Amino acid sequence: DIQMTQSPSSLSASVGDGVTITCRASQDISNFLVWFQQKPGKAPKSLIYGASSLQSGVPSKFSGSGSGTEFTLTISSLQPEDFATYYCQQYKNFPLTFGGGTKVEIK
Amino acid sequence: EVQLVESGGDLVQPGGSLRLSCAASGFTFSDHYMDWVRQAPGKGLEWVGRIRRKPNSYTTEYAASVKGRFTISRDDSKTSVYLQLNNLKTEDTAVYYCARVLVQGNHYYFDSWGQGTLVTVSS
């Protein structure tokens, strides 16, 4: 199975800050990676697919990069609605696997 | 608007069975693969399984943790996907989400999710 490792597991930031979350795959997944945002008690929402393609309707403050085994999600100018948990997920191989999540909290 | 509505979650004893349903609307259901993903309380996301479309013979894939106990099926005439859970274990306690798979080129990813249904396995 492909292991997905996210770092950090949590971070604190202020409104207006930019943050970067890293996701590492245990083997080459090319660009078969998606990023999700999840708020408490809600279903996940896809943000980025193909490692860097913005999902329709998602604001351009979210951006993704990377290929192979290292990927990043960058959120610019954090707003209150951006405080949530973010997950990466690979869809190169079965079983599909998720990172452990990164909780972005208000400082 | 794409809508996915899960139902069927309940409290069940270890060893018991349950059938979850996911009713879809707002899109051509038969064109899409459908997956189930679960999330244990306070934990991360875990993929459960997939069912493909009719042109792919409705083939399925499962996570090792549920293979042989869970079965995914679908009824395109009812635009619904189902998850049959048998021989339930306490570690199956989770919110179960159905998710639509969107295909963009050779990218197959979840673009829409239901609100989830809670399965609690406890004596």
Side-chain angles (χ1 to χ4, degrees):
Chain A
D1 297 4
I2 299 174
Q3 308 303 317
M4 305 300 293
T5 304
Q6 283 182 240
S7 61
S9 56
S10 66
L11 64 89
S12 295
S14 300
V15 172
D17 286 351
V19 298
T20 297
I21 299 167
T22 297
C23 178
R24 289 187 174 87
S26 61
Q27 63 189 75
D28 188 343
I29 60 168
S30 183
N31 66 339
F32 295 105
L33 183 108
V34 60
W35 287 97
F36 296 103
Q37 174 195 68
Q38 187 178 35
K39 297 180 180 178
K42 300 295 186 183
K45 172 187 173 184
S46 63
L47 301 173
I48 303 280
Y49 71 94
S52 60
S53 297
L54 202 62
Q55 173 69 3
S56 175
V58 173
S60 59
K61 64 189 305 180
F62 294 96
S63 63
S65 65
S67 183
T69 61
E70 288 233 3
F71 304 87
T72 59
L73 173 70
T74 299
I75 312 169
S76 63
S77 187
L78 279 168
Q79 297 303 303
E81 61 269 22
D82 301 327
F83 291 91
T85 300
Y86 294 84
Y87 293 93
C88 62
Q89 179 233 318
Q90 67 81 19
Y91 51 91
K92 173 83 164 53
N93 289 342
F94 290 107
L96 308 183
T97 47
F98 292 85
T102 296
K103 188 173 184 179
V104 178
E105 299 176 299
I106 299 176
K107 184 183 288 184
Chain B
E1 179 195 2
V2 174
Q3 280 206 318
L4 299 170
V5 180
E6 301 94 336
S7 60
D10 204 348
L11 171 63
V12 61
Q13 292 188 338
S17 297
L18 209 55
R19 189 197 196 207
L20 308 183
S21 300
C22 171
S25 60
F27 64 99
T28 304
F29 179 77
S30 58
D31 284 351
H32 290 268
Y33 298 177
M34 297 294 297
D35 285 37
W36 287 92
V37 176
R38 67 183 180 182
Q39 186 169 35
K43 302 296 185 183
L45 300 162
E46 180 188 16
W47 175 75
V48 172
R50 168 171 296 177
I51 187 163
R52 298 182 178 88
R53 310 171 305 153
K54 184 177 181 179
N56 306 102
S57 304
Y58 297 126
T59 53
T60 54
E61 306 284 346
Y62 295 97
S65 59
V66 307
K67 195 168 186 178
R69 299 188 300 123
F70 291 8
T71 303
I72 301 175
S73 60
R74 63 191 292 165
D75 185 336
D76 291 346
S77 68
K78 295 183 178 178
T79 65
S80 293
V81 60
Y82 307 99
L83 180 63
Q84 177 69 40
L85 299 78
N86 294 334
N87 189 20
L88 281 159
K89 306 175 182 181
T90 55
E91 53 264 39
D92 295 320
T93 294
V95 173
Y96 285 74
Y97 296 100
C98 65
R100 184 181 83 160
V101 178
L102 186 65
V103 179
Q104 299 276 31
N106 60 347
H107 291 274
Y108 292 62
Y109 67 97
F110 306 140
D111 75 318
S112 298
W113 299 63
Q115 85 289 348
T117 188
L118 176 63
V119 173
T120 304
V121 184
S122 175
S123 55

